[in-house]
Amino acid sequence: CNLRPKDAAKMPESAWKLLFYTLSWSYGVYLLFFTDYPFFYDPPSVFYDWKKGMDVPTDIAIAYLLQCSFYGHSIYATAYMDTWRKDSVVMLLHHVVTLTLIAFSYAFRSGSGRDLKPQPGAKSRDCKGRWQGLPGGRGCAGGAALGLRSPWAINPPCSLCPGRFWFRLYWFPLKVLYATCYSSLQSVPNIPFYFFFNALLLVLTLMNIYWFLYIVLFVAKVLMGQMQEVNDVREYDVEDGKKT
């Protein structure tokens, strides 16, 4: 592809994330819209008839296994394999929180949710610095974290910013936090680990706001003409990178 050495080094990371998120996003869409699970249209339903030790349907268990494996790998990859960026520490925390939510969600069966991503894929600025247009049963509040990822997708900033806001700052609180913070207590007054799960989900919400501000900064620089080519505002400048 005639990539610059700097960009060629990042291509495996972007290609891998594009592959995984395309598959996981597609499977999530299948569970939400092509099965009998009412989770998307009736989020509180994840807590109906909840009881300890209940079985997890096989298709939901596959989602848990898929996401848990990925985020376990992502902790190592962020620390030792991926390009180190300004938000890498936050990304590490995100992966740890998400993995904790998924694992405890499966272990304690305290309700499951599903997070739809706006776009499958990963941030791709690897081709000469330009944006390239590439084509739950009832199981814990922590399940709502399945599929959470970084805000950087392969779409232009004009669609990335509203997409990020709609999925992560509107639908996530409306469908997930409402169900876990309010509806869970209505269905199961003594539901276990209520504060534990919701505290971690609120931490993820703060991270969503943090990354959305990065996108707002990115779009503002583009609109004001401060960026001649579309660069990832999370990445260190050459001079900063040497200091780091």
Side-chain angles (χ1 to χ4, degrees):
C1 298
N2 296 320
L3 299 178
R4 296 174 297 185
K6 175 185 176 182
D7 295 329
K10 300 174 187 174
M11 180 57 90
E13 175 188 349
S14 293
W16 157 242
K17 289 179 179 178
L18 172 63
L19 173 63
F20 173 79
Y21 289 129
T22 300
L23 294 175
S24 65
W25 184 85
S26 299
Y27 189 60
V29 168
Y30 162 74
L31 289 176
L32 285 174
F33 300 111
F34 296 94
T35 65
D36 295 330
Y37 299 124
F39 301 149
F40 184 80
Y41 300 104
D42 184 19
S45 65
V46 300
F47 298 106
Y48 297 167
D49 301 323
W50 177 88
K51 61 180 180 295
K52 294 181 180 179
M54 63 194 311
D55 293 334
V56 177
T58 301
D59 51 2
I60 297 293
I62 291 174
Y64 274 107
L65 178 62
L66 182 70
Q67 298 289 351
C68 199
S69 300
F70 175 75
Y71 283 103
H73 153 78
S74 294
I75 294 174
Y76 175 84
T78 300
Y80 298 107
M81 297 173 63
D82 296 345
T83 301
W84 192 258
R85 302 180 177 93
K86 297 176 182 177
D87 68 336
S88 291
V89 173
V90 179
M91 188 68 73
L92 272 174
L93 177 61
H94 168 274
H95 296 336
V96 171
V97 170
T98 302
L99 185 62
T100 301
L101 282 166
I102 295 171
F104 276 80
S105 167
Y106 185 83
F108 294 104
R109 311 287 202 273
S110 47
S112 75
R114 202 66 69 228
D115 176 38
L116 273 177
K117 306 175 191 65
Q119 307 92 5
K123 182 273 300 177
S124 178
R125 192 185 54 84
D126 296 324
C127 296
K128 300 181 181 179
R130 306 291 182 184
W131 286 88
Q132 303 298 313
L134 303 177
R138 301 181 181 91
C140 146
L146 294 181
L148 286 173
R149 64 178 179 88
S150 81
W152 303 94
I154 57 176
N155 297 68
C158 58
S159 63
L160 177 59
C161 190
R164 175 74 184 182
F165 175 83
W166 184 264
F167 282 85
R168 300 304 180 80
L169 300 182
Y170 176 68
W171 263 357
F172 184 75
L174 179 67
K175 291 185 175 295
V176 176
L177 295 184
Y178 177 80
T180 60
C181 293
Y182 176 76
S183 302
S184 61
L185 291 179
Q186 303 302 308
S187 300
V188 189
N190 296 318
I191 192 167
F193 300 99
Y194 173 84
F195 292 103
F196 173 76
F197 285 123
N198 282 295
L200 293 185
L201 288 172
L202 289 174
V203 168
L204 291 181
T205 303
L206 293 177
M207 293 182 187
N208 286 339
I209 296 173
Y210 167 79
W211 275 310
F212 182 74
L213 293 178
Y214 260 119
I215 296 176
V216 171
L217 174 63
F218 170 80
V219 173
K221 286 187 174 182
V222 172
L223 295 178
M224 292 188 295
Q226 297 180 7
M227 299 178 70
Q228 298 303 316
E229 63 178 26
V230 181
N231 295 318
D232 191 340
V233 294
R234 302 172 305 154
E235 294 187 349
Y236 291 102
D237 296 331
V238 175
E239 294 77 9
D240 292 339
K242 291 179 179 178
K243 295 177 183 177
T244 305

